[in-house]
Amino acid sequence: LSTIRLTAEMNLSGDQMAALTLLYNCALSAAVDELDVVAKVASGMEDHKIIRNSTTYNTMMSAYARSETQWSA
């Protein structure tokens, strides 16, 4: 994600931001069974002002739904 992070800090066009969002969404999807990783990736998106879309939110919801720790307390 360090390469993605550097790119995110540049002045990006709409198409470039959409491509960056897609890369982050792929990272989220790959980590959907690892809630802590999903949280870190999502936090990175927020920190670097990467636009979140419906795929981003759906993937994060899937991660929370699969997490056993989310339902305990």
Side-chain angles (χ1 to χ4, degrees):
L1 289 176
S2 60
T3 302
I4 296 172
R5 185 175 303 128
L6 290 174
T7 307
E9 294 170 353
M10 302 170 127
N11 186 16
L12 301 176
S13 71
D15 287 342
Q16 291 170 323
M17 181 59 78
L20 194 53
T21 299
L22 175 64
L23 289 174
Y24 270 91
N25 286 344
C26 289
L28 287 169
S29 293
V32 74
D33 291 324
E34 300 294 330
L35 188 58
D36 58 329
V37 176
V38 169
K40 287 178 185 177
V41 172
S43 177
M45 290 182 81
E46 184 176 344
D47 292 345
H48 299 288
K49 297 177 179 39
I50 305 300
I51 296 171
R52 296 178 181 183
N53 61 20
S54 59
T55 302
T56 307
Y57 290 109
N58 285 334
T59 304
M60 291 186 331
M61 287 188 293
S62 292
Y64 282 105
R66 291 179 185 198
S67 171
E68 293 178 17
T69 59
Q70 189 265 346
W71 299 112
S72 63

